[in-house]
Amino acid sequence: MPTNQTTAEAIRVMTICNACRYCEGHCAVFPAMERQTVFTQNNIDFLSNLCHQCGACYQHCQYADPHEFGINVPAVFEQARRESYTQFLWPTFMQPAVLHGGKFMATTLLLAISLFFLAIVGLSGMSKIFAPQVNFYNLMPHSVMAGAFSLSAVMVVVSWWMTLRRYWHSISLPSPGSIRMSTYRVALASALTLKNLDGGHGEGCYESGESPSLWKRRHHHLVLIGFVLCFFATLLGTFYHYSLNVPAPYGWLTLPKILGVTGGIMLLVGCAGLFWIKQTADQRLVSHDNGYGSSLTALLFLTSLTGLGLPIAKGTGALGFLLAVHLGCVLALFLNFAWGKFIHGFFRFIALLADEHQKTKKN
Ligand code: SF4
Ligand code: SF4
């Protein structure tokens, strides 16, 4: 495979880092780098996804600008990671979704909102959509929503399977069944605790300068936990609706509502925090991504905002329109799960798994 410009720069940087080795204690990248006998496209795809963009190695590097070596590991790895998402994405004709993430998000969002608006009009009639409504299932039945999103979920899972198995094979991991359970456990713990965002000393990232801070890690955790709570709220709601014959919508003190509202608020705060951190970050640590990184944060924020707005709009003429906007946000989010920034979590987990597997193989 021909080496592109980003990979060539990543190989140059890794070759210098491998001679220097000053940053060994910062994160998993540098010990993993030392285990490689040669730097290739495949192990740059592995090492770049192991990097969590904490910025510690850049702030501490004696060979960063203005030194003639101009070493900047986080910036080159951020670009290399995005290229790995593009390279392995399935189907390949969706690659522009990574290359132009902001435009992809805006277009899918607009189309999805229009689609749900038209579907509600088609199912209930134009007069009903702006009339005061108490229950939004009068506008679109639960079964229609569940059917549409179940189909979308199947599409997402197929896309993940195809994309991730390509990445898995490229970084030379053996079959999933031959990897030890303890390796999965350690990799999962590293992924869930965001261990590699602690700067190597537990004080956090250097995203906005020379002083470490734990805010990126905290906001990332808020988003992760908020997302999981909302996911369980949806599952539980579906279980109540179909298995217990307790139809939605649910009161404020029911379990699906408590999980959904708590998760929604955590998502709002976490996404706003991550957005703020990105805006104020040291721009030398990031590469221009055409809105790819922010698209996921924006969609999660809009989905939670409109989801939390639905019970508030109950009994008003705004409910129908807000429902179309909310469902449009959810559908655009599903498309982002398959072809947007969401897949970074899986790539990172597989890289952590490969790292742990290499370590245990060596011992
Ligand atoms: S980032 Fe700089 S200081 Fe750290 S290992 Fe590489 S060259 Fe050395
Ligand atoms: S930016 Fe942080 S996580 Fe990435 S290589 Fe440097 S120290 Fe490691």
Side-chain angles (χ1 to χ4, degrees), residues 14 23 25-30 47-48 50-58 73-75 77 81 196-197 199-200 285:
M14 283 294 97
C23 294
H26 284 346
C27 69
V29 169
F30 295 94
L47 293 170
S48 61
L50 208 49
C51 168
H52 285 50
Q53 197 80 5
C54 78
C57 60
Y58 178 75
V73 180
F77 272 4
R81 272 196 302 280
N196 290 287
L197 270 183
L285 298 181

mmCIF file with all atom_site columns, all heavy atoms in Angstrom, residues 14 23 25-30 47-48 50-58 73-75 77 81 196-197 199-200 285, ligand 2:
data_model
loop_
_atom_site.group_PDB
_atom_site.id
_atom_site.type_symbol
_atom_site.label_atom_id
_atom_site.label_alt_id
_atom_site.label_comp_id
_atom_site.label_asym_id
_atom_site.label_entity_id
_atom_site.label_seq_id
_atom_site.pdbx_PDB_ins_code
_atom_site.Cartn_x
_atom_site.Cartn_y
_atom_site.Cartn_z
_atom_site.occupancy
_atom_site.B_iso_or_equiv
_atom_site.pdbx_formal_charge
_atom_site.auth_seq_id
_atom_site.auth_comp_id
_atom_site.auth_asym_id
_atom_site.auth_atom_id
_atom_site.pdbx_PDB_model_num
ATOM   1   N  N   . MET A 1 14  ? 7.339   9.204  14.744 1.00 0.00 ? 14  MET A N   1
ATOM   2   C  CA  . MET A 1 14  ? 7.547   8.025  15.582 1.00 0.00 ? 14  MET A CA  1
ATOM   3   C  C   . MET A 1 14  ? 9.012   7.584  15.597 1.00 0.00 ? 14  MET A C   1
ATOM   4   O  O   . MET A 1 14  ? 9.533   7.106  16.602 1.00 0.00 ? 14  MET A O   1
ATOM   5   C  CB  . MET A 1 14  ? 6.661   6.858  15.104 1.00 0.00 ? 14  MET A CB  1
ATOM   6   C  CG  . MET A 1 14  ? 5.213   6.955  15.505 1.00 0.00 ? 14  MET A CG  1
ATOM   7   S  SD  . MET A 1 14  ? 4.928   6.828  17.304 1.00 0.00 ? 14  MET A SD  1
ATOM   8   C  CE  . MET A 1 14  ? 4.818   8.522  17.817 1.00 0.00 ? 14  MET A CE  1
ATOM   9   N  N   . CYS A 1 23  ? 8.842   10.447 26.534 1.00 0.00 ? 23  CYS A N   1
ATOM   10  C  CA  . CYS A 1 23  ? 7.421   10.454 26.924 1.00 0.00 ? 23  CYS A CA  1
ATOM   11  C  C   . CYS A 1 23  ? 6.874   9.084  27.323 1.00 0.00 ? 23  CYS A C   1
ATOM   12  O  O   . CYS A 1 23  ? 5.648   8.924  27.398 1.00 0.00 ? 23  CYS A O   1
ATOM   13  C  CB  . CYS A 1 23  ? 6.586   11.041 25.790 1.00 0.00 ? 23  CYS A CB  1
ATOM   14  S  SG  . CYS A 1 23  ? 6.949   12.778 25.500 1.00 0.00 ? 23  CYS A SG  1
ATOM   15  N  N   . GLY A 1 25  ? 6.221   7.558  29.943 1.00 0.00 ? 25  GLY A N   1
ATOM   16  C  CA  . GLY A 1 25  ? 5.252   7.437  31.040 1.00 0.00 ? 25  GLY A CA  1
ATOM   17  C  C   . GLY A 1 25  ? 3.938   8.151  30.776 1.00 0.00 ? 25  GLY A C   1
ATOM   18  O  O   . GLY A 1 25  ? 3.037   8.108  31.616 1.00 0.00 ? 25  GLY A O   1
ATOM   19  N  N   . HIS A 1 26  ? 3.805   8.845  29.638 1.00 0.00 ? 26  HIS A N   1
ATOM   20  C  CA  . HIS A 1 26  ? 2.606   9.666  29.439 1.00 0.00 ? 26  HIS A CA  1
ATOM   21  C  C   . HIS A 1 26  ? 1.345   8.862  29.134 1.00 0.00 ? 26  HIS A C   1
ATOM   22  O  O   . HIS A 1 26  ? 0.252   9.221  29.557 1.00 0.00 ? 26  HIS A O   1
ATOM   23  C  CB  . HIS A 1 26  ? 2.830   10.657 28.292 1.00 0.00 ? 26  HIS A CB  1
ATOM   24  C  CG  . HIS A 1 26  ? 3.689   11.819 28.682 1.00 0.00 ? 26  HIS A CG  1
ATOM   25  N  ND1 . HIS A 1 26  ? 3.977   12.128 29.982 1.00 0.00 ? 26  HIS A ND1 1
ATOM   26  C  CD2 . HIS A 1 26  ? 4.326   12.758 27.936 1.00 0.00 ? 26  HIS A CD2 1
ATOM   27  C  CE1 . HIS A 1 26  ? 4.744   13.194 30.042 1.00 0.00 ? 26  HIS A CE1 1
ATOM   28  N  NE2 . HIS A 1 26  ? 4.976   13.605 28.797 1.00 0.00 ? 26  HIS A NE2 1
ATOM   29  N  N   . CYS A 1 27  ? 1.480   7.836  28.323 1.00 0.00 ? 27  CYS A N   1
ATOM   30  C  CA  . CYS A 1 27  ? 0.281   7.115  27.875 1.00 0.00 ? 27  CYS A CA  1
ATOM   31  C  C   . CYS A 1 27  ? 0.716   5.781  27.271 1.00 0.00 ? 27  CYS A C   1
ATOM   32  O  O   . CYS A 1 27  ? 1.900   5.458  27.246 1.00 0.00 ? 27  CYS A O   1
ATOM   33  C  CB  . CYS A 1 27  ? -0.468  7.937  26.820 1.00 0.00 ? 27  CYS A CB  1
ATOM   34  S  SG  . CYS A 1 27  ? 0.431   8.044  25.281 1.00 0.00 ? 27  CYS A SG  1
ATOM   35  N  N   . ALA A 1 28  ? -0.281  5.050  26.743 1.00 0.00 ? 28  ALA A N   1
ATOM   36  C  CA  . ALA A 1 28  ? 0.011   3.725  26.188 1.00 0.00 ? 28  ALA A CA  1
ATOM   37  C  C   . ALA A 1 28  ? 0.759   3.788  24.856 1.00 0.00 ? 28  ALA A C   1
ATOM   38  O  O   . ALA A 1 28  ? 1.356   2.797  24.423 1.00 0.00 ? 28  ALA A O   1
ATOM   39  C  CB  . ALA A 1 28  ? -1.304  2.963  26.005 1.00 0.00 ? 28  ALA A CB  1
ATOM   40  N  N   . VAL A 1 29  ? 0.717   4.964  24.181 1.00 0.00 ? 29  VAL A N   1
ATOM   41  C  CA  . VAL A 1 29  ? 1.291   5.046  22.835 1.00 0.00 ? 29  VAL A CA  1
ATOM   42  C  C   . VAL A 1 29  ? 2.796   4.750  22.825 1.00 0.00 ? 29  VAL A C   1
ATOM   43  O  O   . VAL A 1 29  ? 3.277   3.961  22.001 1.00 0.00 ? 29  VAL A O   1
ATOM   44  C  CB  . VAL A 1 29  ? 1.033   6.440  22.211 1.00 0.00 ? 29  VAL A CB  1
ATOM   45  C  CG1 . VAL A 1 29  ? 1.845   6.635  20.930 1.00 0.00 ? 29  VAL A CG1 1
ATOM   46  C  CG2 . VAL A 1 29  ? -0.452  6.625  21.927 1.00 0.00 ? 29  VAL A CG2 1
ATOM   47  N  N   . PHE A 1 30  ? 3.520   5.366  23.767 1.00 0.00 ? 30  PHE A N   1
ATOM   48  C  CA  . PHE A 1 30  ? 4.987   5.280  23.671 1.00 0.00 ? 30  PHE A CA  1
ATOM   49  C  C   . PHE A 1 30  ? 5.538   3.880  23.988 1.00 0.00 ? 30  PHE A C   1
ATOM   50  O  O   . PHE A 1 30  ? 6.388   3.377  23.242 1.00 0.00 ? 30  PHE A O   1
ATOM   51  C  CB  . PHE A 1 30  ? 5.629   6.402  24.499 1.00 0.00 ? 30  PHE A CB  1
ATOM   52  C  CG  . PHE A 1 30  ? 5.281   7.755  23.932 1.00 0.00 ? 30  PHE A CG  1
ATOM   53  C  CD1 . PHE A 1 30  ? 4.198   8.464  24.410 1.00 0.00 ? 30  PHE A CD1 1
ATOM   54  C  CD2 . PHE A 1 30  ? 5.988   8.273  22.856 1.00 0.00 ? 30  PHE A CD2 1
ATOM   55  C  CE1 . PHE A 1 30  ? 3.836   9.681  23.859 1.00 0.00 ? 30  PHE A CE1 1
ATOM   56  C  CE2 . PHE A 1 30  ? 5.631   9.491  22.294 1.00 0.00 ? 30  PHE A CE2 1
ATOM   57  C  CZ  . PHE A 1 30  ? 4.556   10.197 22.791 1.00 0.00 ? 30  PHE A CZ  1
ATOM   58  N  N   . LEU A 1 47  ? -1.268  2.798  16.402 1.00 0.00 ? 47  LEU A N   1
ATOM   59  C  CA  . LEU A 1 47  ? -0.757  3.765  17.388 1.00 0.00 ? 47  LEU A CA  1
ATOM   60  C  C   . LEU A 1 47  ? -1.605  5.033  17.433 1.00 0.00 ? 47  LEU A C   1
ATOM   61  O  O   . LEU A 1 47  ? -1.862  5.578  18.505 1.00 0.00 ? 47  LEU A O   1
ATOM   62  C  CB  . LEU A 1 47  ? 0.704   4.121  17.067 1.00 0.00 ? 47  LEU A CB  1
ATOM   63  C  CG  . LEU A 1 47  ? 1.726   2.986  17.227 1.00 0.00 ? 47  LEU A CG  1
ATOM   64  C  CD1 . LEU A 1 47  ? 3.082   3.387  16.662 1.00 0.00 ? 47  LEU A CD1 1
ATOM   65  C  CD2 . LEU A 1 47  ? 1.871   2.596  18.704 1.00 0.00 ? 47  LEU A CD2 1
ATOM   66  N  N   . SER A 1 48  ? -2.057  5.496  16.264 1.00 0.00 ? 48  SER A N   1
ATOM   67  C  CA  . SER A 1 48  ? -2.823  6.751  16.251 1.00 0.00 ? 48  SER A CA  1
ATOM   68  C  C   . SER A 1 48  ? -4.158  6.584  16.965 1.00 0.00 ? 48  SER A C   1
ATOM   69  O  O   . SER A 1 48  ? -4.651  7.513  17.597 1.00 0.00 ? 48  SER A O   1
ATOM   70  C  CB  . SER A 1 48  ? -3.029  7.246  14.820 1.00 0.00 ? 48  SER A CB  1
ATOM   71  O  OG  . SER A 1 48  ? -3.749  6.303  14.070 1.00 0.00 ? 48  SER A OG  1
ATOM   72  N  N   . LEU A 1 50  ? -4.593  4.617  19.469 1.00 0.00 ? 50  LEU A N   1
ATOM   73  C  CA  . LEU A 1 50  ? -4.270  4.448  20.885 1.00 0.00 ? 50  LEU A CA  1
ATOM   74  C  C   . LEU A 1 50  ? -4.124  5.833  21.554 1.00 0.00 ? 50  LEU A C   1
ATOM   75  O  O   . LEU A 1 50  ? -4.304  5.962  22.761 1.00 0.00 ? 50  LEU A O   1
ATOM   76  C  CB  . LEU A 1 50  ? -2.949  3.673  20.983 1.00 0.00 ? 50  LEU A CB  1
ATOM   77  C  CG  . LEU A 1 50  ? -2.668  2.813  22.205 1.00 0.00 ? 50  LEU A CG  1
ATOM   78  C  CD1 . LEU A 1 50  ? -3.836  1.912  22.536 1.00 0.00 ? 50  LEU A CD1 1
ATOM   79  C  CD2 . LEU A 1 50  ? -1.406  1.986  21.946 1.00 0.00 ? 50  LEU A CD2 1
ATOM   80  N  N   . CYS A 1 51  ? -3.794  6.828  20.750 1.00 0.00 ? 51  CYS A N   1
ATOM   81  C  CA  . CYS A 1 51  ? -3.619  8.200  21.265 1.00 0.00 ? 51  CYS A CA  1
ATOM   82  C  C   . CYS A 1 51  ? -4.985  8.794  21.596 1.00 0.00 ? 51  CYS A C   1
ATOM   83  O  O   . CYS A 1 51  ? -5.912  8.717  20.806 1.00 0.00 ? 51  CYS A O   1
ATOM   84  C  CB  . CYS A 1 51  ? -2.910  9.055  20.213 1.00 0.00 ? 51  CYS A CB  1
ATOM   85  S  SG  . CYS A 1 51  ? -2.960  10.825 20.582 1.00 0.00 ? 51  CYS A SG  1
ATOM   86  N  N   . HIS A 1 52  ? -5.105  9.381  22.796 1.00 0.00 ? 52  HIS A N   1
ATOM   87  C  CA  . HIS A 1 52  ? -6.372  9.981  23.238 1.00 0.00 ? 52  HIS A CA  1
ATOM   88  C  C   . HIS A 1 52  ? -6.335  11.510 23.127 1.00 0.00 ? 52  HIS A C   1
ATOM   89  O  O   . HIS A 1 52  ? -7.187  12.189 23.685 1.00 0.00 ? 52  HIS A O   1
ATOM   90  C  CB  . HIS A 1 52  ? -6.671  9.578  24.684 1.00 0.00 ? 52  HIS A CB  1
ATOM   91  C  CG  . HIS A 1 52  ? -7.150  8.165  24.834 1.00 0.00 ? 52  HIS A CG  1
ATOM   92  N  ND1 . HIS A 1 52  ? -6.494  7.090  24.280 1.00 0.00 ? 52  HIS A ND1 1
ATOM   93  C  CD2 . HIS A 1 52  ? -8.230  7.654  25.491 1.00 0.00 ? 52  HIS A CD2 1
ATOM   94  C  CE1 . HIS A 1 52  ? -7.155  5.981  24.593 1.00 0.00 ? 52  HIS A CE1 1
ATOM   95  N  NE2 . HIS A 1 52  ? -8.195  6.296  25.315 1.00 0.00 ? 52  HIS A NE2 1
ATOM   96  N  N   . GLN A 1 53  ? -5.280  12.046 22.488 1.00 0.00 ? 53  GLN A N   1
ATOM   97  C  CA  . GLN A 1 53  ? -5.223  13.492 22.241 1.00 0.00 ? 53  GLN A CA  1
ATOM   98  C  C   . GLN A 1 53  ? -5.164  14.291 23.552 1.00 0.00 ? 53  GLN A C   1
ATOM   99  O  O   . GLN A 1 53  ? -5.824  15.323 23.684 1.00 0.00 ? 53  GLN A O   1
ATOM   100 C  CB  . GLN A 1 53  ? -6.461  13.891 21.419 1.00 0.00 ? 53  GLN A CB  1
ATOM   101 C  CG  . GLN A 1 53  ? -6.413  15.239 20.723 1.00 0.00 ? 53  GLN A CG  1
ATOM   102 C  CD  . GLN A 1 53  ? -5.632  15.161 19.441 1.00 0.00 ? 53  GLN A CD  1
ATOM   103 O  OE1 . GLN A 1 53  ? -5.201  14.099 19.028 1.00 0.00 ? 53  GLN A OE1 1
ATOM   104 N  NE2 . GLN A 1 53  ? -5.408  16.299 18.813 1.00 0.00 ? 53  GLN A NE2 1
ATOM   105 N  N   . CYS A 1 54  ? -4.351  13.824 24.518 1.00 0.00 ? 54  CYS A N   1
ATOM   106 C  CA  . CYS A 1 54  ? -4.282  14.571 25.780 1.00 0.00 ? 54  CYS A CA  1
ATOM   107 C  C   . CYS A 1 54  ? -3.335  15.762 25.686 1.00 0.00 ? 54  CYS A C   1
ATOM   108 O  O   . CYS A 1 54  ? -3.418  16.689 26.489 1.00 0.00 ? 54  CYS A O   1
ATOM   109 C  CB  . CYS A 1 54  ? -3.863  13.644 26.922 1.00 0.00 ? 54  CYS A CB  1
ATOM   110 S  SG  . CYS A 1 54  ? -2.095  13.299 26.950 1.00 0.00 ? 54  CYS A SG  1
ATOM   111 N  N   . GLY A 1 55  ? -2.425  15.724 24.726 1.00 0.00 ? 55  GLY A N   1
ATOM   112 C  CA  . GLY A 1 55  ? -1.537  16.874 24.503 1.00 0.00 ? 55  GLY A CA  1
ATOM   113 C  C   . GLY A 1 55  ? -0.292  16.885 25.378 1.00 0.00 ? 55  GLY A C   1
ATOM   114 O  O   . GLY A 1 55  ? 0.576   17.753 25.206 1.00 0.00 ? 55  GLY A O   1
ATOM   115 N  N   . ALA A 1 56  ? -0.154  15.941 26.325 1.00 0.00 ? 56  ALA A N   1
ATOM   116 C  CA  . ALA A 1 56  ? 0.984   15.964 27.256 1.00 0.00 ? 56  ALA A CA  1
ATOM   117 C  C   . ALA A 1 56  ? 2.318   15.893 26.511 1.00 0.00 ? 56  ALA A C   1
ATOM   118 O  O   . ALA A 1 56  ? 3.257   16.640 26.813 1.00 0.00 ? 56  ALA A O   1
ATOM   119 C  CB  . ALA A 1 56  ? 0.863   14.807 28.246 1.00 0.00 ? 56  ALA A CB  1
ATOM   120 N  N   . CYS A 1 57  ? 2.397   14.991 25.522 1.00 0.00 ? 57  CYS A N   1
ATOM   121 C  CA  . CYS A 1 57  ? 3.688   14.813 24.844 1.00 0.00 ? 57  CYS A CA  1
ATOM   122 C  C   . CYS A 1 57  ? 4.069   16.062 24.038 1.00 0.00 ? 57  CYS A C   1
ATOM   123 O  O   . CYS A 1 57  ? 5.252   16.344 23.870 1.00 0.00 ? 57  CYS A O   1
ATOM   124 C  CB  . CYS A 1 57  ? 3.663   13.570 23.953 1.00 0.00 ? 57  CYS A CB  1
ATOM   125 S  SG  . CYS A 1 57  ? 2.406   13.627 22.679 1.00 0.00 ? 57  CYS A SG  1
ATOM   126 N  N   . TYR A 1 58  ? 3.077   16.806 23.560 1.00 0.00 ? 58  TYR A N   1
ATOM   127 C  CA  . TYR A 1 58  ? 3.412   18.024 22.802 1.00 0.00 ? 58  TYR A CA  1
ATOM   128 C  C   . TYR A 1 58  ? 3.949   19.098 23.758 1.00 0.00 ? 58  TYR A C   1
ATOM   129 O  O   . TYR A 1 58  ? 4.964   19.737 23.476 1.00 0.00 ? 58  TYR A O   1
ATOM   130 C  CB  . TYR A 1 58  ? 2.173   18.549 22.057 1.00 0.00 ? 58  TYR A CB  1
ATOM   131 C  CG  . TYR A 1 58  ? 2.482   19.821 21.302 1.00 0.00 ? 58  TYR A CG  1
ATOM   132 C  CD1 . TYR A 1 58  ? 3.206   19.779 20.123 1.00 0.00 ? 58  TYR A CD1 1
ATOM   133 C  CD2 . TYR A 1 58  ? 2.083   21.060 21.801 1.00 0.00 ? 58  TYR A CD2 1
ATOM   134 C  CE1 . TYR A 1 58  ? 3.527   20.947 19.436 1.00 0.00 ? 58  TYR A CE1 1
ATOM   135 C  CE2 . TYR A 1 58  ? 2.402   22.221 21.128 1.00 0.00 ? 58  TYR A CE2 1
ATOM   136 C  CZ  . TYR A 1 58  ? 3.121   22.155 19.941 1.00 0.00 ? 58  TYR A CZ  1
ATOM   137 O  OH  . TYR A 1 58  ? 3.450   23.316 19.276 1.00 0.00 ? 58  TYR A OH  1
ATOM   138 N  N   . VAL A 1 73  ? 2.999   15.131 18.009 1.00 0.00 ? 73  VAL A N   1
ATOM   139 C  CA  . VAL A 1 73  ? 2.345   13.810 17.954 1.00 0.00 ? 73  VAL A CA  1
ATOM   140 C  C   . VAL A 1 73  ? 0.813   13.943 17.908 1.00 0.00 ? 73  VAL A C   1
ATOM   141 O  O   . VAL A 1 73  ? 0.166   13.340 17.051 1.00 0.00 ? 73  VAL A O   1
ATOM   142 C  CB  . VAL A 1 73  ? 2.798   12.895 19.123 1.00 0.00 ? 73  VAL A CB  1
ATOM   143 C  CG1 . VAL A 1 73  ? 2.119   11.540 19.041 1.00 0.00 ? 73  VAL A CG1 1
ATOM   144 C  CG2 . VAL A 1 73  ? 4.306   12.735 19.126 1.00 0.00 ? 73  VAL A CG2 1
ATOM   145 N  N   . PRO A 1 74  ? 0.176   14.726 18.827 1.00 0.00 ? 74  PRO A N   1
ATOM   146 C  CA  . PRO A 1 74  ? -1.293  14.747 18.801 1.00 0.00 ? 74  PRO A CA  1
ATOM   147 C  C   . PRO A 1 74  ? -1.877  15.210 17.468 1.00 0.00 ? 74  PRO A C   1
ATOM   148 O  O   . PRO A 1 74  ? -2.876  14.653 17.005 1.00 0.00 ? 74  PRO A O   1
ATOM   149 C  CB  . PRO A 1 74  ? -1.678  15.709 19.932 1.00 0.00 ? 74  PRO A CB  1
ATOM   150 C  CG  . PRO A 1 74  ? -0.433  16.212 20.529 1.00 0.00 ? 74  PRO A CG  1
ATOM   151 C  CD  . PRO A 1 74  ? 0.732   15.467 19.979 1.00 0.00 ? 74  PRO A CD  1
ATOM   152 N  N   . ALA A 1 75  ? -1.261  16.225 16.845 1.00 0.00 ? 75  ALA A N   1
ATOM   153 C  CA  . ALA A 1 75  ? -1.839  16.736 15.585 1.00 0.00 ? 75  ALA A CA  1
ATOM   154 C  C   . ALA A 1 75  ? -1.724  15.711 14.461 1.00 0.00 ? 75  ALA A C   1
ATOM   155 O  O   . ALA A 1 75  ? -2.692  15.454 13.746 1.00 0.00 ? 75  ALA A O   1
ATOM   156 C  CB  . ALA A 1 75  ? -1.164  18.048 15.196 1.00 0.00 ? 75  ALA A CB  1
ATOM   157 N  N   . PHE A 1 77  ? -1.342  12.484 14.747 1.00 0.00 ? 77  PHE A N   1
ATOM   158 C  CA  . PHE A 1 77  ? -2.155  11.292 15.054 1.00 0.00 ? 77  PHE A CA  1
ATOM   159 C  C   . PHE A 1 77  ? -3.647  11.567 14.878 1.00 0.00 ? 77  PHE A C   1
ATOM   160 O  O   . PHE A 1 77  ? -4.405  10.664 14.518 1.00 0.00 ? 77  PHE A O   1
ATOM   161 C  CB  . PHE A 1 77  ? -1.857  10.788 16.466 1.00 0.00 ? 77  PHE A CB  1
ATOM   162 C  CG  . PHE A 1 77  ? -0.704  9.806  16.503 1.00 0.00 ? 77  PHE A CG  1
ATOM   163 C  CD1 . PHE A 1 77  ? 0.014   9.501  15.361 1.00 0.00 ? 77  PHE A CD1 1
ATOM   164 C  CD2 . PHE A 1 77  ? -0.348  9.173  17.685 1.00 0.00 ? 77  PHE A CD2 1
ATOM   165 C  CE1 . PHE A 1 77  ? 1.069   8.590  15.389 1.00 0.00 ? 77  PHE A CE1 1
ATOM   166 C  CE2 . PHE A 1 77  ? 0.700   8.256  17.727 1.00 0.00 ? 77  PHE A CE2 1
ATOM   167 C  CZ  . PHE A 1 77  ? 1.409   7.972  16.569 1.00 0.00 ? 77  PHE A CZ  1
ATOM   168 N  N   . ARG A 1 81  ? -5.732  9.229  12.523 1.00 0.00 ? 81  ARG A N   1
ATOM   169 C  CA  . ARG A 1 81  ? -6.931  8.508  13.006 1.00 0.00 ? 81  ARG A CA  1
ATOM   170 C  C   . ARG A 1 81  ? -8.089  8.716  12.040 1.00 0.00 ? 81  ARG A C   1
ATOM   171 O  O   . ARG A 1 81  ? -8.770  7.781  11.658 1.00 0.00 ? 81  ARG A O   1
ATOM   172 C  CB  . ARG A 1 81  ? -7.374  9.051  14.381 1.00 0.00 ? 81  ARG A CB  1
ATOM   173 C  CG  . ARG A 1 81  ? -6.730  8.407  15.549 1.00 0.00 ? 81  ARG A CG  1
ATOM   174 C  CD  . ARG A 1 81  ? -7.477  8.702  16.837 1.00 0.00 ? 81  ARG A CD  1
ATOM   175 N  NE  . ARG A 1 81  ? -7.624  10.109 17.157 1.00 0.00 ? 81  ARG A NE  1
ATOM   176 C  CZ  . ARG A 1 81  ? -6.690  10.854 17.712 1.00 0.00 ? 81  ARG A CZ  1
ATOM   177 N  NH1 . ARG A 1 81  ? -5.518  10.347 17.992 1.00 0.00 ? 81  ARG A NH1 1
ATOM   178 N  NH2 . ARG A 1 81  ? -6.906  12.138 18.003 1.00 0.00 ? 81  ARG A NH2 1
ATOM   179 N  N   . ASN A 1 196 ? -6.029  6.960  29.400 1.00 0.00 ? 196 ASN A N   1
ATOM   180 C  CA  . ASN A 1 196 ? -5.016  7.680  28.616 1.00 0.00 ? 196 ASN A CA  1
ATOM   181 C  C   . ASN A 1 196 ? -5.321  9.166  28.445 1.00 0.00 ? 196 ASN A C   1
ATOM   182 O  O   . ASN A 1 196 ? -4.658  9.849  27.681 1.00 0.00 ? 196 ASN A O   1
ATOM   183 C  CB  . ASN A 1 196 ? -4.834  6.999  27.265 1.00 0.00 ? 196 ASN A CB  1
ATOM   184 C  CG  . ASN A 1 196 ? -4.147  5.664  27.434 1.00 0.00 ? 196 ASN A CG  1
ATOM   185 O  OD1 . ASN A 1 196 ? -2.963  5.598  27.705 1.00 0.00 ? 196 ASN A OD1 1
ATOM   186 N  ND2 . ASN A 1 196 ? -4.916  4.589  27.328 1.00 0.00 ? 196 ASN A ND2 1
ATOM   187 N  N   . LEU A 1 197 ? -6.348  9.645  29.163 1.00 0.00 ? 197 LEU A N   1
ATOM   188 C  CA  . LEU A 1 197 ? -6.589  11.095 29.156 1.00 0.00 ? 197 LEU A CA  1
ATOM   189 C  C   . LEU A 1 197 ? -6.085  11.727 30.461 1.00 0.00 ? 197 LEU A C   1
ATOM   190 O  O   . LEU A 1 197 ? -6.428  12.861 30.760 1.00 0.00 ? 197 LEU A O   1
ATOM   191 C  CB  . LEU A 1 197 ? -8.091  11.380 29.006 1.00 0.00 ? 197 LEU A CB  1
ATOM   192 C  CG  . LEU A 1 197 ? -8.626  11.527 27.583 1.00 0.00 ? 197 LEU A CG  1
ATOM   193 C  CD1 . LEU A 1 197 ? -10.105 11.885 27.615 1.00 0.00 ? 197 LEU A CD1 1
ATOM   194 C  CD2 . LEU A 1 197 ? -7.869  12.564 26.789 1.00 0.00 ? 197 LEU A CD2 1
ATOM   195 N  N   . GLY A 1 199 ? -2.910  12.228 31.236 1.00 0.00 ? 199 GLY A N   1
ATOM   196 C  CA  . GLY A 1 199 ? -1.615  12.887 31.052 1.00 0.00 ? 199 GLY A CA  1
ATOM   197 C  C   . GLY A 1 199 ? -0.451  12.095 31.620 1.00 0.00 ? 199 GLY A C   1
ATOM   198 O  O   . GLY A 1 199 ? 0.677   12.590 31.653 1.00 0.00 ? 199 GLY A O   1
ATOM   199 N  N   . GLY A 1 200 ? -0.724  10.889 32.128 1.00 0.00 ? 200 GLY A N   1
ATOM   200 C  CA  . GLY A 1 200 ? 0.352   10.040 32.649 1.00 0.00 ? 200 GLY A CA  1
ATOM   201 C  C   . GLY A 1 200 ? 0.615   10.241 34.128 1.00 0.00 ? 200 GLY A C   1
ATOM   202 O  O   . GLY A 1 200 ? 1.313   9.474  34.763 1.00 0.00 ? 200 GLY A O   1
ATOM   203 N  N   . LEU A 1 285 ? -2.624  21.719 18.664 1.00 0.00 ? 285 LEU A N   1
ATOM   204 C  CA  . LEU A 1 285 ? -2.823  20.295 18.965 1.00 0.00 ? 285 LEU A CA  1
ATOM   205 C  C   . LEU A 1 285 ? -3.840  19.624 18.047 1.00 0.00 ? 285 LEU A C   1
ATOM   206 O  O   . LEU A 1 285 ? -4.005  18.415 18.079 1.00 0.00 ? 285 LEU A O   1
ATOM   207 C  CB  . LEU A 1 285 ? -3.332  20.117 20.410 1.00 0.00 ? 285 LEU A CB  1
ATOM   208 C  CG  . LEU A 1 285 ? -2.432  20.592 21.532 1.00 0.00 ? 285 LEU A CG  1
ATOM   209 C  CD1 . LEU A 1 285 ? -3.063  20.315 22.877 1.00 0.00 ? 285 LEU A CD1 1
ATOM   210 C  CD2 . LEU A 1 285 ? -1.088  19.893 21.450 1.00 0.00 ? 285 LEU A CD2 1
HETATM 211 S  S1  . SF4 B 2 .   ? -1.311  13.291 22.947 1.00 0.00 ? 2   SF4 B S1  1
HETATM 212 FE FE1 . SF4 B 2 .   ? -1.417  12.230 24.926 1.00 0.00 ? 2   SF4 B FE1 1
HETATM 213 S  S2  . SF4 B 2 .   ? -2.350  10.280 24.422 1.00 0.00 ? 2   SF4 B S2  1
HETATM 214 FE FE2 . SF4 B 2 .   ? -1.594  11.147 22.493 1.00 0.00 ? 2   SF4 B FE2 1
HETATM 215 S  S3  . SF4 B 2 .   ? 0.450   10.333 22.227 1.00 0.00 ? 2   SF4 B S3  1
HETATM 216 FE FE3 . SF4 B 2 .   ? 0.650   12.287 23.276 1.00 0.00 ? 2   SF4 B FE3 1
HETATM 217 S  S4  . SF4 B 2 .   ? 0.704   11.766 25.462 1.00 0.00 ? 2   SF4 B S4  1
HETATM 218 FE FE4 . SF4 B 2 .   ? -0.135  10.006 24.359 1.00 0.00 ? 2   SF4 B FE4 1
#
